[in-house]
Amino acid sequence: MMHRPRRWRLNASLRSLVHETTVSPANLIAPIFVTDASNEPQSIASMPGIWRWPVDQVADEVHVLAETGIGAILIFGIPGAKDADGTGSYDADGVVQRALRAIKTATPQMTVITDVCLCEYTDHGHCGLINGISGASDPHLPAEYVLNDPTLDTLARIAVSHAEAGADVVAPSGMLDGMVAAIRGALDRSGFGAVSILSYSAKYASSFYGPFRDAAQGAPAFGDRATHQMDPANVREAMREHALDVAEGADGLMVKPALAYLDVIRATRDRFPDVPLAAYNVSGEYAMVKAAAAMGWLNERRAVLEILTSIKRAGADLIITYHARDAAAWLTEETQCLN
Ligand code: PBG
């Protein structure tokens, strides 16, 4: 008797019967950039199809996204002014806080996640307070080092200000030690026990963030992020980061980037089977597909759906992706075709 795997591949109906991995629009999270620096939507050269939205137009864009059935949006703010300590990040009238109020008024059913970090708000572009630059300093640490504990208070203030403005979930992305515990404590003390924390628990120091730093205007003015983000060579260390964040009260974990880290997603899923897991299909991954598609070298739709399927197959529940809007439309079409 000969085994014939091809029997199940004979036609579309048989193939769909043994289809193992399904991505649905509800699994997708769309990042959104909101800006205080312009009154017009601004395109981003390295991320075709993605815009920086002025606060007074962002609610309309979110309304359109809500119609596609995607699961949530993730907001990043680009403030009009920056300073050494990133004080604009927790301003009740800051760019993210005003955007949150507008979105929650217009589309209250949409789940809104906010990025909690300092890099878009500091004039040096780093994710925390810097040794020797602001009031905080530590003679035992190198100059220009991102200080850990002095930054935690600021992160907690940002998270509370986002919760006050209507955030459902806060997502700290700076890879500082103890950030989840600091944020959980502050949210609970302020009466926001129902606000979840989706931690960027295993975020690598990656070259694939290039286009994002363009989009958010948050590239470091000196040095890099290697003293807080993870070494791409490490996977055991990611398990340690996840475990700490779970112990500190994280409601969800993340691996970022996604494509060069599918093994990390799989290891995380196996080690933490019962914690929701997000993967961030980052800006550089998006830009590669868009560039190749524009050259006619890839079929964009098929490449995107294959990529999203592979991230889900590796073990992610949720995928943060700049393809969310197009992918949601394509996925809905495919479901209708099969039925
Ligand atoms: C900020 C932040 C970054 C991204 C998300 N949050 C950039 C960075 O760490 O330099 C990258 C997202 C992307 O590339 O799509 N801490």
Side-chain angles (χ1 to χ4, degrees), residues 267-297:
T268 306
R269 170 47 75 225
D270 290 345
R271 185 77 79 94
F272 303 91
D274 49 6
V275 186
L277 174 60
Y280 201 142
N281 176 215
V282 300
S283 59
E285 299 172 336
Y286 176 81
M288 289 195 295
V289 172
K290 292 302 257 192
M295 296 298 284
W297 295 343

mmCIF file of all heavy atoms in Angstrom, residues 267-297:
data_model
loop_
_atom_site.group_PDB
_atom_site.id
_atom_site.type_symbol
_atom_site.label_atom_id
_atom_site.label_comp_id
_atom_site.label_asym_id
_atom_site.label_seq_id
_atom_site.Cartn_x
_atom_site.Cartn_y
_atom_site.Cartn_z
ATOM 1 N N ALA A 267 8.962 28.596 20.346
ATOM 2 C CA ALA A 267 9.466 28.261 21.687
ATOM 3 C C ALA A 267 8.587 28.916 22.758
ATOM 4 O O ALA A 267 8.304 28.314 23.797
ATOM 5 C CB ALA A 267 10.917 28.719 21.827
ATOM 6 N N THR A 268 8.148 30.142 22.487
ATOM 7 C CA THR A 268 7.307 30.853 23.457
ATOM 8 C C THR A 268 5.962 30.148 23.609
ATOM 9 O O THR A 268 5.463 29.935 24.713
ATOM 10 C CB THR A 268 7.074 32.312 22.989
ATOM 11 O OG1 THR A 268 8.338 32.917 22.759
ATOM 12 C CG2 THR A 268 6.311 33.097 24.036
ATOM 13 N N ARG A 269 5.360 29.781 22.478
ATOM 14 C CA ARG A 269 4.068 29.084 22.515
ATOM 15 C C ARG A 269 4.176 27.787 23.311
ATOM 16 O O ARG A 269 3.329 27.473 24.139
ATOM 17 C CB ARG A 269 3.589 28.831 21.075
ATOM 18 C CG ARG A 269 2.407 27.935 20.922
ATOM 19 C CD ARG A 269 1.277 28.295 21.902
ATOM 20 N NE ARG A 269 0.550 29.473 21.525
ATOM 21 C CZ ARG A 269 0.210 30.453 22.380
ATOM 22 N NH1 ARG A 269 0.510 30.397 23.658
ATOM 23 N NH2 ARG A 269 -0.463 31.491 21.972
ATOM 24 N N ASP A 270 5.266 27.040 23.091
ATOM 25 C CA ASP A 270 5.424 25.759 23.787
ATOM 26 C C ASP A 270 5.654 25.966 25.280
ATOM 27 O O ASP A 270 5.152 25.214 26.104
ATOM 28 C CB ASP A 270 6.595 24.960 23.187
ATOM 29 C CG ASP A 270 6.272 24.458 21.773
ATOM 30 O OD1 ASP A 270 5.081 24.487 21.386
ATOM 31 O OD2 ASP A 270 7.217 24.056 21.060
ATOM 32 N N ARG A 271 6.404 27.007 25.625
ATOM 33 C CA ARG A 271 6.741 27.223 27.034
ATOM 34 C C ARG A 271 5.611 27.914 27.805
ATOM 35 O O ARG A 271 5.448 27.706 29.004
ATOM 36 C CB ARG A 271 8.020 28.058 27.123
ATOM 37 C CG ARG A 271 8.542 28.259 28.523
ATOM 38 C CD ARG A 271 9.266 27.027 29.053
ATOM 39 N NE ARG A 271 10.606 26.947 28.519
ATOM 40 C CZ ARG A 271 11.680 27.422 29.146
ATOM 41 N NH1 ARG A 271 11.582 27.946 30.339
ATOM 42 N NH2 ARG A 271 12.853 27.331 28.569
ATOM 43 N N PHE A 272 4.822 28.741 27.106
ATOM 44 C CA PHE A 272 3.720 29.477 27.760
ATOM 45 C C PHE A 272 2.418 29.204 27.008
ATOM 46 O O PHE A 272 1.866 30.090 26.362
ATOM 47 C CB PHE A 272 4.014 30.982 27.783
ATOM 48 C CG PHE A 272 5.309 31.320 28.470
ATOM 49 C CD1 PHE A 272 6.497 31.408 27.754
ATOM 50 C CD2 PHE A 272 5.343 31.524 29.854
ATOM 51 C CE1 PHE A 272 7.692 31.685 28.392
ATOM 52 C CE2 PHE A 272 6.538 31.810 30.498
ATOM 53 C CZ PHE A 272 7.719 31.892 29.770
ATOM 54 N N PRO A 273 1.931 27.943 27.093
ATOM 55 C CA PRO A 273 0.792 27.572 26.245
ATOM 56 C C PRO A 273 -0.484 28.347 26.562
ATOM 57 O O PRO A 273 -1.355 28.457 25.708
ATOM 58 C CB PRO A 273 0.617 26.079 26.517
ATOM 59 C CG PRO A 273 1.330 25.810 27.786
ATOM 60 C CD PRO A 273 2.418 26.823 27.907
ATOM 61 N N ASP A 274 -0.580 28.887 27.778
ATOM 62 C CA ASP A 274 -1.862 29.478 28.168
ATOM 63 C C ASP A 274 -1.853 31.003 28.264
ATOM 64 O O ASP A 274 -2.782 31.595 28.794
ATOM 65 C CB ASP A 274 -2.335 28.861 29.495
ATOM 66 C CG ASP A 274 -1.238 28.858 30.540
ATOM 67 O OD1 ASP A 274 -0.155 29.426 30.280
ATOM 68 O OD2 ASP A 274 -1.454 28.277 31.626
ATOM 69 N N VAL A 275 -0.817 31.650 27.751
ATOM 70 C CA VAL A 275 -0.792 33.121 27.766
ATOM 71 C C VAL A 275 -0.967 33.623 26.334
ATOM 72 O O VAL A 275 -0.268 33.150 25.436
ATOM 73 C CB VAL A 275 0.546 33.652 28.339
ATOM 74 C CG1 VAL A 275 0.486 35.173 28.494
ATOM 75 C CG2 VAL A 275 0.882 32.995 29.660
ATOM 76 N N PRO A 276 -1.901 34.568 26.096
ATOM 77 C CA PRO A 276 -2.037 35.107 24.739
ATOM 78 C C PRO A 276 -0.698 35.641 24.228
ATOM 79 O O PRO A 276 0.034 36.310 24.959
ATOM 80 C CB PRO A 276 -3.059 36.238 24.923
ATOM 81 C CG PRO A 276 -3.876 35.809 26.101
ATOM 82 C CD PRO A 276 -2.890 35.131 27.029
ATOM 83 N N LEU A 277 -0.407 35.291 22.976
ATOM 84 C CA LEU A 277 0.890 35.650 22.395
ATOM 85 C C LEU A 277 0.696 36.456 21.108
ATOM 86 O O LEU A 277 -0.005 36.027 20.197
ATOM 87 C CB LEU A 277 1.681 34.365 22.089
ATOM 88 C CG LEU A 277 3.008 34.541 21.353
ATOM 89 C CD1 LEU A 277 3.980 35.405 22.162
ATOM 90 C CD2 LEU A 277 3.637 33.174 21.065
ATOM 91 N N ALA A 278 1.329 37.620 21.078
ATOM 92 C CA ALA A 278 1.304 38.455 19.872
ATOM 93 C C ALA A 278 2.665 38.397 19.199
ATOM 94 O O ALA A 278 3.690 38.211 19.859
ATOM 95 C CB ALA A 278 0.970 39.894 20.243
ATOM 96 N N ALA A 279 2.667 38.547 17.888
ATOM 97 C CA ALA A 279 3.925 38.687 17.144
ATOM 98 C C ALA A 279 3.830 39.985 16.359
ATOM 99 O O ALA A 279 2.771 40.307 15.827
ATOM 100 C CB ALA A 279 4.118 37.510 16.204
ATOM 101 N N TYR A 280 4.919 40.723 16.303
ATOM 102 C CA TYR A 280 4.926 42.004 15.593
ATOM 103 C C TYR A 280 5.646 41.843 14.270
ATOM 104 O O TYR A 280 6.851 41.644 14.226
ATOM 105 C CB TYR A 280 5.605 43.073 16.460
ATOM 106 C CG TYR A 280 5.258 44.509 16.110
ATOM 107 C CD1 TYR A 280 5.090 45.468 17.103
ATOM 108 C CD2 TYR A 280 5.107 44.931 14.785
ATOM 109 C CE1 TYR A 280 4.773 46.790 16.802
ATOM 110 C CE2 TYR A 280 4.785 46.244 14.486
ATOM 111 C CZ TYR A 280 4.634 47.168 15.481
ATOM 112 O OH TYR A 280 4.331 48.476 15.177
ATOM 113 N N ASN A 281 4.844 41.878 13.201
ATOM 114 C CA ASN A 281 5.343 41.829 11.823
ATOM 115 C C ASN A 281 5.767 43.272 11.495
ATOM 116 O O ASN A 281 4.977 44.082 11.078
ATOM 117 C CB ASN A 281 4.162 41.339 10.953
ATOM 118 C CG ASN A 281 4.402 41.295 9.472
ATOM 119 O OD1 ASN A 281 3.485 41.565 8.697
ATOM 120 N ND2 ASN A 281 5.592 40.950 9.045
ATOM 121 N N VAL A 282 7.049 43.563 11.728
ATOM 122 C CA VAL A 282 7.493 44.959 11.856
ATOM 123 C C VAL A 282 7.659 45.689 10.516
ATOM 124 O O VAL A 282 7.545 45.102 9.440
ATOM 125 C CB VAL A 282 8.810 45.061 12.662
ATOM 126 C CG1 VAL A 282 8.613 44.507 14.062
ATOM 127 C CG2 VAL A 282 9.948 44.355 11.928
ATOM 128 N N SER A 283 7.994 46.973 10.655
ATOM 129 C CA SER A 283 8.064 47.879 9.506
ATOM 130 C C SER A 283 9.002 47.395 8.400
ATOM 131 O O SER A 283 8.685 47.494 7.220
ATOM 132 C CB SER A 283 8.489 49.264 9.982
ATOM 133 O OG SER A 283 9.749 49.205 10.634
ATOM 134 N N GLY A 284 10.159 46.857 8.763
ATOM 135 C CA GLY A 284 11.115 46.407 7.744
ATOM 136 C C GLY A 284 10.595 45.196 6.986
ATOM 137 O O GLY A 284 10.856 45.025 5.794
ATOM 138 N N GLU A 285 9.842 44.356 7.679
ATOM 139 C CA GLU A 285 9.235 43.193 7.024
ATOM 140 C C GLU A 285 8.170 43.644 6.034
ATOM 141 O O GLU A 285 8.025 43.087 4.943
ATOM 142 C CB GLU A 285 8.636 42.261 8.088
ATOM 143 C CG GLU A 285 9.674 41.736 9.062
ATOM 144 C CD GLU A 285 9.085 40.971 10.245
ATOM 145 O OE1 GLU A 285 7.910 41.186 10.594
ATOM 146 O OE2 GLU A 285 9.808 40.164 10.825
ATOM 147 N N TYR A 286 7.429 44.669 6.433
ATOM 148 C CA TYR A 286 6.414 45.262 5.557
ATOM 149 C C TYR A 286 7.087 45.894 4.333
ATOM 150 O O TYR A 286 6.685 45.657 3.190
ATOM 151 C CB TYR A 286 5.649 46.313 6.353
ATOM 152 C CG TYR A 286 4.603 47.106 5.589
ATOM 153 C CD1 TYR A 286 3.334 46.566 5.351
ATOM 154 C CD2 TYR A 286 4.868 48.393 5.139
ATOM 155 C CE1 TYR A 286 2.370 47.302 4.677
ATOM 156 C CE2 TYR A 286 3.906 49.138 4.460
ATOM 157 C CZ TYR A 286 2.651 48.580 4.229
ATOM 158 O OH TYR A 286 1.699 49.310 3.569
ATOM 159 N N ALA A 287 8.126 46.676 4.587
ATOM 160 C CA ALA A 287 8.800 47.394 3.499
ATOM 161 C C ALA A 287 9.392 46.422 2.468
ATOM 162 O O ALA A 287 9.347 46.689 1.269
ATOM 163 C CB ALA A 287 9.892 48.301 4.070
ATOM 164 N N MET A 288 9.924 45.299 2.916
ATOM 165 C CA MET A 288 10.508 44.329 1.971
ATOM 166 C C MET A 288 9.453 43.806 1.009
ATOM 167 O O MET A 288 9.685 43.711 -0.192
ATOM 168 C CB MET A 288 11.118 43.133 2.729
ATOM 169 C CG MET A 288 12.385 43.478 3.481
ATOM 170 S SD MET A 288 13.313 42.009 3.990
ATOM 171 C CE MET A 288 12.192 41.242 5.134
ATOM 172 N N VAL A 289 8.275 43.466 1.558
ATOM 173 C CA VAL A 289 7.200 42.942 0.707
ATOM 174 C C VAL A 289 6.711 44.027 -0.248
ATOM 175 O O VAL A 289 6.524 43.782 -1.449
ATOM 176 C CB VAL A 289 6.025 42.424 1.574
ATOM 177 C CG1 VAL A 289 4.825 42.071 0.703
ATOM 178 C CG2 VAL A 289 6.465 41.223 2.391
ATOM 179 N N LYS A 290 6.520 45.247 0.277
ATOM 180 C CA LYS A 290 6.003 46.331 -0.556
ATOM 181 C C LYS A 290 6.983 46.657 -1.688
ATOM 182 O O LYS A 290 6.575 46.891 -2.823
ATOM 183 C CB LYS A 290 5.751 47.597 0.282
ATOM 184 C CG LYS A 290 4.616 47.475 1.265
ATOM 185 C CD LYS A 290 3.307 47.137 0.607
ATOM 186 C CE LYS A 290 2.376 48.289 0.460
ATOM 187 N NZ LYS A 290 1.001 47.852 0.060
ATOM 188 N N ALA A 291 8.264 46.666 -1.356
ATOM 189 C CA ALA A 291 9.266 47.006 -2.368
ATOM 190 C C ALA A 291 9.316 45.930 -3.452
ATOM 191 O O ALA A 291 9.312 46.241 -4.650
ATOM 192 C CB ALA A 291 10.640 47.176 -1.716
ATOM 193 N N ALA A 292 9.324 44.679 -3.044
ATOM 194 C CA ALA A 292 9.397 43.592 -4.037
ATOM 195 C C ALA A 292 8.125 43.567 -4.884
ATOM 196 O O ALA A 292 8.186 43.342 -6.099
ATOM 197 C CB ALA A 292 9.612 42.251 -3.338
ATOM 198 N N ALA A 293 6.977 43.826 -4.261
ATOM 199 C CA ALA A 293 5.713 43.837 -5.013
ATOM 200 C C ALA A 293 5.709 44.983 -6.022
ATOM 201 O O ALA A 293 5.268 44.821 -7.162
ATOM 202 C CB ALA A 293 4.520 43.935 -4.057
ATOM 203 N N ALA A 294 6.239 46.145 -5.601
ATOM 204 C CA ALA A 294 6.261 47.305 -6.500
ATOM 205 C C ALA A 294 7.155 47.030 -7.709
ATOM 206 O O ALA A 294 6.913 47.530 -8.803
ATOM 207 C CB ALA A 294 6.753 48.546 -5.751
ATOM 208 N N MET A 295 8.174 46.211 -7.518
ATOM 209 C CA MET A 295 9.054 45.848 -8.626
ATOM 210 C C MET A 295 8.443 44.752 -9.493
ATOM 211 O O MET A 295 9.027 44.376 -10.505
ATOM 212 C CB MET A 295 10.405 45.331 -8.088
ATOM 213 C CG MET A 295 11.236 46.340 -7.320
ATOM 214 S SD MET A 295 11.722 47.743 -8.319
ATOM 215 C CE MET A 295 13.030 47.011 -9.316
ATOM 216 N N GLY A 296 7.326 44.201 -9.060
ATOM 217 C CA GLY A 296 6.728 43.086 -9.799
ATOM 218 C C GLY A 296 7.407 41.759 -9.513
ATOM 219 O O GLY A 296 7.257 40.797 -10.259
ATOM 220 N N TRP A 297 8.150 41.688 -8.413
ATOM 221 C CA TRP A 297 8.915 40.473 -8.099
ATOM 222 C C TRP A 297 8.165 39.519 -7.186
ATOM 223 O O TRP A 297 8.590 38.390 -6.970
ATOM 224 C CB TRP A 297 10.258 40.860 -7.447
ATOM 225 C CG TRP A 297 11.168 41.608 -8.377
ATOM 226 C CD1 TRP A 297 11.077 41.674 -9.749
ATOM 227 C CD2 TRP A 297 12.315 42.383 -8.025
ATOM 228 N NE1 TRP A 297 12.091 42.440 -10.251
ATOM 229 C CE2 TRP A 297 12.872 42.888 -9.219
ATOM 230 C CE3 TRP A 297 12.924 42.692 -6.813
ATOM 231 C CZ2 TRP A 297 14.001 43.694 -9.232
ATOM 232 C CZ3 TRP A 297 14.049 43.493 -6.825
ATOM 233 C CH2 TRP A 297 14.593 43.991 -8.031
#
